Amino acid sequence: AIALPRTVESLTVGEQQRIEIIKAFYRGAKILILDEPTALLTPQETDRLFESIREFSRQGLAVVFISHKLDEVREIAPQVMVIRAGRVVGTVPTQHSSPSELARMMVGREVDLGASRRQSRLGDAVLTVTGLTASAKGGLTVGPIDLTIRAGEILGVAGVEGNGQHELVELLAGLRTPTAGTIQMGQQALQNLSVRRRLEAGLAYVPADRQGQGLVLDLKIWENFILRDYYRAPLRRGLGIDSRAARARAQAAADAFDIRTGSIELPSRSLSGGNQQKLLLAREMSRQPRVMIVSQPTRGLDVGAIEYVHRQLMVLADGGAGVLLVSLELDELMKLSDRILVLFRGQVHGIVDRAAFRREKVGLLMAGQVAREEEVAP
């Protein structure tokens, strides 16, 4: 139940979703259209939302549930219509269809949905964060945050959106100034270094907003590829750029990362969302980073592109780099991470080892409903 005296802004995202459904009932709606309604919800909030959707349906009303999460579609809908490239591929009953069959319809080829992180051998710490804190006027105070990433490790960061994930990655990447704390890569302190100096030290960063922060859409594909290193040899030539070397390097990466484009001379805005994400990964991974920070890497991608991105992150970690993976997709974190760090109201609310991964357990931590000390150990 939702306490009526509370303001809507004080409700969780899941409670706000349920309020919207109640409003639809009140207004006499006959059709309820939900577009990616669980993107920001904990597993517990998703379950409660599904209860509300089923009640709406039991009243004899129609529900259109739009989602790329195949398990959720199969759980909530008796039949599913698959759309690919703007056209209806087919409509099938969910009880007679498997996730792999639906993925094949969505992408037009076989998709390996089972690839996940195997038990990995971890090395020494490559990034150590101690007491990292940042405060914003009228915003969320983040920290103090302590975390360690080891060589070969994927450390997932979970949390309901707005609980400090964005601030954390900006602090690490050098886009936000901390008020306290240290960031150590090996023996080198990063907290006072510029973005460029952090990149040169071996840090790589793939932002959540690939179009607004990751790429310059009007620049050519090859120009975007060299944005991190255009000023250094062998790309620099006198006061200009060795465009032949830059094009050759970009073309080799486009081939290696299966970036599907007619030409690297095209502007980056001509690429699909999945290919833009591949371009970002190619740019950062080609620099052979010691630590990769990647935020929401599969947001808005189809299952085929998601499969590719997941494999590249695992390849990077298997090569000895440390990866900080921030995602709102809990299944993604559980699939790829060696450990999951949970943020709640700007602080670390728990760290869960792979052996103890449970959706319900992590979901309760995300909602702040379980004390940290009860959940840290497997």
Side-chain angles (χ1 to χ4, degrees):
I2 300 173
L4 294 181
R6 294 173 60 189
T7 60
V8 172
E9 69 177 359
S10 70
L11 302 178
T12 67
V13 178
E15 290 171 331
Q16 292 174 1
Q17 292 272 30
R18 289 156 61 198
I19 290 292
E20 287 300 309
I21 294 177
I22 293 172
K23 287 165 61 179
F25 270 122
Y26 177 76
R27 293 171 177 168
K30 303 298 182 185
I31 301 175
L32 180 63
I33 302 175
L34 298 168
D35 187 2
E36 300 286 358
T38 64
L40 307 181
L41 306 186
T42 67
Q44 289 80 8
E45 290 175 325
T46 296
D47 291 340
R48 289 192 287 270
L49 175 64
F50 281 3
E51 291 173 7
S52 300
I53 293 173
R54 292 188 181 101
E55 179 59 30
F56 195 90
S57 180
R58 282 193 290 266
Q59 299 294 325
L61 306 174
V63 179
V64 178
F65 184 88
I66 304 169
S67 178
H68 69 278
K69 299 180 181 180
L70 300 183
D71 290 341
E72 290 185 359
V73 169
R74 297 178 71 246
E75 178 182 348
I76 197 65
Q79 64 177 356
V80 55
M81 181 176 72
V82 179
I83 297 176
R84 184 174 77 239
R87 296 179 180 275
V88 176
V89 177
T91 301
V92 296
T94 52
Q95 63 179 347
H96 299 307
S97 61
S98 66
S100 60
E101 290 170 335
L102 293 175
R104 184 174 60 251
M105 293 175 68
M106 293 170 64
V107 181
R109 63 171 176 82
E110 293 293 337
V111 178
D112 183 5
L113 298 175
S116 61
R117 187 89 167 121
R118 64 179 182 270
Q119 188 66 35
S120 33
R121 293 184 177 181
L122 305 184
D124 296 333
V126 289
L127 188 75
T128 303
V129 175
T130 306
L132 193 63
T133 306
S135 58
K137 294 180 179 179
L140 178 72
T141 297
V142 177
I145 291 176
D146 297 332
L147 65 86
T148 300
I149 305 175
R150 297 169 64 185
E153 179 181 26
I154 298 179
L155 176 64
V157 177
V160 177
E161 188 165 35
N163 276 271
Q165 303 96 310
H166 178 69
E167 290 81 359
L168 173 60
V169 296
E170 287 197 341
L171 284 166
L172 297 179
L175 301 174
R176 185 182 294 258
T177 303
T179 54
T182 61
I183 306 168
Q184 200 83 12
M185 182 182 291
Q187 300 301 313
Q188 186 172 11
L190 302 185
Q191 65 272 7
N192 295 321
L193 297 185
S194 66
V195 172
R196 175 175 287 186
R197 294 292 177 244
R198 295 184 196 210
L199 295 174
E200 292 173 346
L203 188 72
Y205 175 45
V206 176
D209 184 359
R210 56 178 168 265
Q211 295 187 343
Q213 290 186 317
L215 300 172
V216 182
L217 295 179
D218 290 327
L219 288 184
K220 297 174 182 178
I221 293 169
W222 72 265
E223 291 172 326
N224 269 285
F225 182 77
I226 66 168
L227 279 180
R228 299 294 202 201
D229 300 301
Y230 68 91
Y231 63 94
R232 297 194 296 179
L235 298 179
R236 181 176 178 178
R237 186 174 62 180
L239 297 178
I241 296 173
D242 186 339
S243 60
R244 179 177 296 181
R247 285 182 171 91
R249 181 178 290 192
Q251 186 62 62
D255 295 338
F257 282 77
D258 191 29
I259 301 172
R260 300 182 182 182
T261 176
S263 169
I264 59 171
E265 300 295 332
L266 293 173
S268 295
R269 69 169 63 255
S270 68
L271 296 173
S272 67
N275 282 297
Q276 289 178 354
Q277 196 70 14
K278 288 180 183 180
L279 175 57
L280 282 177
L281 286 171
R283 185 178 73 196
E284 300 305 311
M285 290 180 65
S286 68
R287 304 178 63 252
Q288 299 180 323
R290 298 173 64 189
V291 176
M292 167 88 90
I293 301 168
V294 57
S295 182
Q296 315 303 340
T298 60
R299 176 180 283 170
L301 304 188
D302 63 40
V303 290
I306 290 171
E307 173 200 35
Y308 185 87
V309 170
H310 285 178
R311 287 190 178 279
Q312 292 304 314
L313 292 176
M314 288 189 283
V315 166
L316 184 66
D318 289 344
V323 179
L324 184 77
L325 171 63
V326 180
S327 178
L328 295 174
E329 301 287 353
L330 186 52
D331 288 339
E332 179 171 70
L333 292 174
M334 294 178 66
K335 179 178 180 179
L336 298 178
S337 305
D338 296 289
R339 294 181 297 149
I340 294 178
L341 178 150
V342 182
L343 287 178
F344 178 68
R345 294 180 179 173
Q347 297 186 325
V348 177
H349 199 58
I351 300 178
V352 185
D353 289 327
R354 186 171 187 82
F357 284 179
R358 302 289 185 276
R359 284 181 57 84
E360 296 75 15
K361 180 180 192 176
V362 179
L364 289 171
L365 281 168
M366 290 167 62
Q369 296 179 9
V370 175
R372 174 180 174 178
E373 59 270 19
E374 296 175 4
E375 293 293 330
V376 172

